[in-house]
Amino acid sequence: MVFPNKQQKENNIEMSLNGQPLLIKNEGQKVLFLIRKAYLEGSLSVTGDIAPEIQQMLNKPLPISDKKFQSDPKDLQFLEELIKKIESGTIKLFTPSSLLNLSVYNNLSSTHKAKADYDILIILNKIRAIKKLWDSGDKDSYQILNLVQSLRIAKEGIENIEGDVFII
């Protein structure tokens, strides 16, 4: 195998699977190799017995590559404001009413109040998921930005119909 430079050769790992040599070039290939190996060896079963190191790798969100993806500045600002409100106690993660803008909510029709009551549970669940990723150190992952973007878009859609019913 020809390597363009010495650094690239040092980053590659040689492993074998069922007696066949494999060249692992990146973390994605390493994860796939470990999963296949565990499956073939029988340590990865349907009963959920997965080696802790494999489970940890699978659970780790992918970091954002600035070369491949540029996040929307609106999403980053929304995330920053959301985290500030959570940390200040303005938004309580297990109290749906903490999200309500009561002056707007109290003026809604009963139909729109019911819709807001339903939407608030979905929004609060997304906020808890965002906070969990934030606290685990995965602040710059595709998962957190996807959740933030979907939350921001949902909030804007609700506001177009019902008004500024949420404080986020």
Side-chain angles (χ1 to χ4, degrees):
M1 170 144 298
V2 177
F3 294 100
N5 60 42
K6 188 177 180 180
Q7 179 67 29
Q8 186 177 3
K9 183 177 181 181
E10 291 173 2
N11 290 338
N12 294 324
I13 302 168
E14 290 187 29
M15 298 181 166
S16 67
L17 186 63
N18 285 347
Q20 298 293 321
L22 294 172
L23 186 64
I24 308 296
K25 297 179 183 178
N26 58 45
E27 282 297 310
Q29 288 180 343
K30 183 178 176 183
V31 169
L32 289 173
F33 167 79
L34 291 173
I35 292 170
R36 285 185 188 130
K37 183 177 180 192
Y39 178 75
L40 292 171
E41 292 175 353
S43 63
L44 183 62
S45 67
V46 191
T47 61
D49 298 334
I50 299 175
E53 60 274 1
I54 292 174
Q55 188 63 52
Q56 186 176 12
M57 274 193 287
L58 292 172
N59 289 346
K60 186 77 177 148
L62 294 172
I64 294 174
S65 169
D66 289 336
K67 294 176 186 175
K68 297 178 182 177
F69 178 79
Q70 293 295 320
S71 53
D72 188 346
K74 285 193 269 184
D75 292 335
L76 295 175
Q77 182 182 3
F78 185 76
L79 174 61
E80 187 178 308
E81 291 172 7
L82 181 66
I83 295 299
K84 282 181 185 176
K85 287 181 181 179
I86 294 169
E87 290 176 348
S88 71
T90 305
I91 295 176
K92 295 173 180 64
L93 296 176
F94 294 96
T95 309
S97 61
S98 69
L99 283 175
L100 287 175
N101 181 352
L102 291 175
S103 61
V104 174
Y105 179 80
N106 290 335
N107 292 326
L108 293 175
S109 67
S110 58
T111 305
H112 285 279
K113 280 184 183 178
K115 174 88 171 92
D117 292 342
Y118 174 77
D119 291 336
I120 202 167
L121 297 175
I122 296 168
I123 287 173
L124 196 57
N125 187 43
K126 283 186 182 186
I127 291 172
R128 282 194 299 266
I130 290 167
K131 181 68 168 130
K132 183 178 178 182
L133 284 167
W134 182 270
D135 289 345
S136 69
D138 299 313
K139 299 173 183 178
D140 296 324
S141 66
Y142 292 108
Q143 286 83 344
I144 197 168
L145 283 180
N146 184 36
L147 281 168
V148 168
Q149 185 180 45
S150 68
L151 176 64
R152 183 181 58 80
I153 290 170
K155 176 191 110 43
E156 290 171 357
I158 292 166
E159 287 178 346
N160 286 338
I161 297 169
E162 301 169 9
D164 195 14
V165 73
F166 302 116
I167 62 169
I168 55 173

